[in-house]
Amino acid sequence: RPVNIPRKEKDFQGMLEYKKEEEPKLVKNLILVEYVFKLKPRGVAVNLIPGLPAYILFMCVRHADYLNDDQKVRSLLTSTINGIKKVLKKRGDDFETVSFWLSNTCRFLHCLKQYSGEEGFMKHNTPRQNDHCLTNFDLAEYRQVLSDLSIQIYQQLVRVLENILQPMIVSVMLEHETIQGVSGVKPPGLRKRTSSIADEGTYTLDSIIRQLNTFHSVMCQHGMDPELIKQVVKQMFYIIGAVTLNNLLLRKDMCSWSKGMQIRYNVSQLEEWLRDKNLMNSGAKETLEPLIQAAQLLQVKKKTDEDAEAICSMCNALTTAQIVKVLNLYTPVNEFEERVTVSFIRTIQMRLRDRKDSPQLLMDAKHIFPVTFPFNPSSLALETIQIPASLGLGFISRV
Amino acid sequence: PAQRQRPRVLLKAPTLAELEEMNLSEARREP
């Protein structure tokens, strides 16, 4: 065993050396592990640098580049990509695992750019970081592969969070009544639906807020790029809005003045969550606009020509089919409310006939917004990075 | 300081689909 002589950090060049035959072990211990246990031994969170696996991999790439060993670089990059794909195949339904590898794949991609030697990516580098740029190889094609892989992982993350949120949405956003007494009277002749996944009361607004908090804190702990977190949150809000609106459009018992009130309250709580997390500029709130307008439509007066005009200018995020459907389903729950007359609905249809909107009634709840990974260089100095013993990488050495 | 040169050798990379295919054929070869 080599004697471990302490060295000053400035002596290190931010590279990691390993033998070619140790590559499978490196990939196994760094990628194909259950990070949940590695990062949190005995339930205690260890303060590891977010993106540490990505930095370690990049420092290994740097050493292979320094050796001018193209086979070693190629082999490591291929094994890395295959390893990440393997983990995601095995644990692809686990939010923490997918978030962890999305964060690390993006960080690895940013490292390949930041240290590529291309001027456009070096603007924020320190002189020392510029010294750490790759010297022999241009890895632009591998950057493209990692970007494609990041898109795949992002889509997988969206499916995972969708599976978790889906059973909660209708219960929380439509069925559960947070505002007590608003709809004390049930519409006559309407039976309570029993086909919902969760019984009424199983999930509350608090459940979904707690779930959003969990998603957000996991992504932050993994050091996911803030711009990427915004895109995930926007996608989550889109799913919540689309699933809620689609159910409202299919359920007569959800189309009442008081449900409009309840939905607006729920939406305000989601907005409050965005404000609290400083995510108001994520575009998430805007994805709720069709739902907000549907809730308003349930609450406004629906009688005169002036009402029809107001509705047409207010509901610009709803299609004509959706507006007409809500008006048709609208059910008064007490003597102060009235059914919407057929002639009022005709007036609305006449006013909207020139609109070139889609005939679609339901929103595409499976739609995924295109994702981007804006370059986010790191100020971390590679030469200061130390590898915790818990990672089991004692066979690689700092150079 | 000397002007840093851009890395010279472009390493050709397989696409994700090609990687998948390579892995599949490798798996098929294994008993």
Side-chain angles (χ1 to χ4, degrees), chain A residues 129-149:
Chain A
Q129 284 179 318
N130 282 338
D131 287 342
H132 289 165
C133 283
L134 299 170
T135 50
N136 291 305
F137 302 117
D138 177 347
L139 300 179
E141 287 201 6
Y142 279 95
R143 294 202 307 250
Q144 184 57 50
V145 182
L146 284 163
S147 173
D148 293 346
L149 180 61

Side-chain angles (χ1 to χ4, degrees), chain B residues 13-31:
Chain B
T15 64
L16 273 185
E18 285 164 352
L19 269 178
E20 189 74 27
E21 187 47 46
M22 275 151 56
N23 289 339
L24 281 176
S25 17
E26 216 165 89
R28 273 187 228 116
R29 271 201 306 274
E30 279 171 17

Side-chain angles (χ1 to χ4, degrees), chain A residues 57-76:
Chain A
L57 285 165
F58 179 68
M59 288 157 76
C60 291
V61 168
R62 274 200 68 217
H63 192 261
D65 169 79
Y66 163 79
L67 296 177
N68 201 6
D69 188 340
D70 64 319
Q71 275 312 314
K72 196 173 182 184
V73 175
R74 247 191 270 266
S75 176
L76 177 60

